[in-house]
Amino acid sequence: MKPSRALRWITPWTVGIAVWLTGFAMQAAHADTGAQSGTDDAQAADVSAWKIGIGPAILVTPAFPGSSSLKVYPLPAQDVSWDDRIFSQGPDVLGVNALRGKDYHVGTSISFDFQSRTSSDDPRLRGLPDVHWGPKLRLFADYTWWAFTGSMALYQDIGGTGQGKTVMTDLVASVPSGRLLVSVGPGFTWADAAYTRTFFGVSAAQSAASHLPQYQTGSGIRDVHMNVDATYDFSRHWTSSLALTAGRLEHYAAASPITERRLELNAMASVNYRF
């Protein structure tokens, strides 16, 4: 699916959520600014609260869930935030930390990923319906204690792509070393029946069209995985990052006749210029 076609999946609901997020964030921004004394001090605080970084990125991901081949996507990499309240980072196009503190965040965002499938991806997929990527509503929470950060995020399909909902839980330990910061830790992903049916199920009609055996799915653990993230600051303005996730498909995803390989690799490398 070409990126330009993603616009057709942005429903009025998606636009409404984005407007709500923006309005909520602007109310918070007005409240925070109004609490400060003096116009000059408020302006200075507003400027210092902005963090902006942009640059190129490369995403490597399976051609489709369960695929043994990979696809490479060149992407823009953005890292923009205001007062740790409003943000646009990576796949999160627009997000708000509704609750935040020194050690925690709770919020929501509109997010995109590249989980999709077309019959041209593999001859075995002929006869199966295409699955397009589209926007998802993400609800998240994270908490940091010392060097450890636990996080949970729920992703709900809001583009009508049939991808249902997934929940990702991770725990990482972060170790700084000079300009290098490395975070490593395990996690797992749960998927509902709609998601597993879309990507791993084979109905009777699909079995007849594709010659794959019929396969019924349900909700359960989609995968267990290990995360490795590394960030290096070359200077005050230039930084680079590498995020790698190696996972193993489980349960319905592992046993599906569509799955070619249980090992799943996702990686993203980027270079950002920070203003």
Side-chain angles (χ1 to χ4, degrees):
M1 176 179 176
K2 296 181 180 179
S4 60
R5 293 185 59 192
L7 293 176
R8 70 178 58 183
W9 303 113
I10 301 180
T11 63
W13 185 22
T14 310
V15 176
I17 292 172
V19 171
W20 178 84
L21 291 175
T22 304
F24 180 90
M26 293 312 295
Q27 281 187 338
H30 178 74
D32 290 347
T33 302
Q36 301 188 28
S37 60
T39 303
D40 293 340
D41 291 342
Q43 290 176 344
D46 185 63
V47 172
S48 63
W50 280 103
K51 296 180 180 179
I52 302 175
I54 57 174
I58 294 178
L59 173 68
V60 180
T61 189
F64 58 90
S67 174
S68 61
S69 60
L70 300 172
K71 281 187 176 181
V72 179
Y73 297 92
L75 300 169
Q78 85 288 3
D79 186 358
V80 180
S81 64
W82 182 86
D83 194 35
D84 199 27
R85 175 78 70 175
I86 312 168
F87 64 89
S88 178
Q89 297 170 328
D92 295 317
V93 178
L94 176 63
V96 172
N97 290 314
L99 300 174
R100 80 223 194 278
K102 180 182 178 182
D103 302 319
Y104 67 90
H105 298 87
V106 178
T108 184
S109 66
I110 301 298
S111 182
F112 280 85
D113 65 30
F114 284 84
Q115 292 188 83
S116 61
R117 187 182 70 199
T118 65
S119 57
S120 62
D121 290 333
D122 191 285
R124 299 168 62 255
L125 300 178
R126 292 172 184 168
L128 297 180
D130 291 347
V131 182
H132 300 294
W133 57 270
K136 295 181 178 179
L137 177 65
R138 174 175 174 255
L139 305 177
F140 63 87
D142 62 70
Y143 183 82
T144 299
W145 175 78
W146 192 45
F148 301 96
T149 299
S151 63
M152 179 176 291
L154 180 148
Y155 295 84
Q156 172 66 56
D157 168 37
I158 56 174
T161 63
Q163 296 196 28
K165 65 173 64 69
T166 57
V167 177
M168 187 177 296
T169 302
D170 294 289
L171 176 64
V172 298
S174 300
V175 180
S177 178
R179 296 182 176 182
L180 178 67
L181 176 65
V182 178
S183 301
V184 180
F188 68 90
T189 306
W190 174 92
D192 71 356
Y195 175 93
T196 59
R197 181 171 58 251
T198 294
F199 279 115
F200 300 104
V202 181
S203 68
Q206 293 168 0
S207 176
S210 66
H211 304 295
L212 291 174
Q214 188 173 346
Y215 184 69
Q216 300 295 322
T217 67
S219 61
I221 300 298
R222 177 196 184 278
D223 66 74
V224 293
H225 54 261
M226 179 65 69
N227 302 300
V228 179
D229 297 331
T231 301
Y232 186 82
D233 292 334
F234 292 100
S235 66
R236 186 167 66 91
H237 292 292
W238 289 100
T239 183
S240 64
S241 64
L242 173 65
L244 174 65
T245 300
R248 180 177 171 85
L249 297 178
E250 302 291 338
H251 203 29
Y252 292 112
S256 171
I258 297 173
T259 297
E260 297 175 314
R261 184 174 64 183
R262 293 182 65 181
L263 177 63
E264 191 172 67
L265 297 175
N266 288 276
M268 183 171 181
S270 64
V271 176
N272 272 22
Y273 180 83
R274 296 180 298 197
F275 292 89

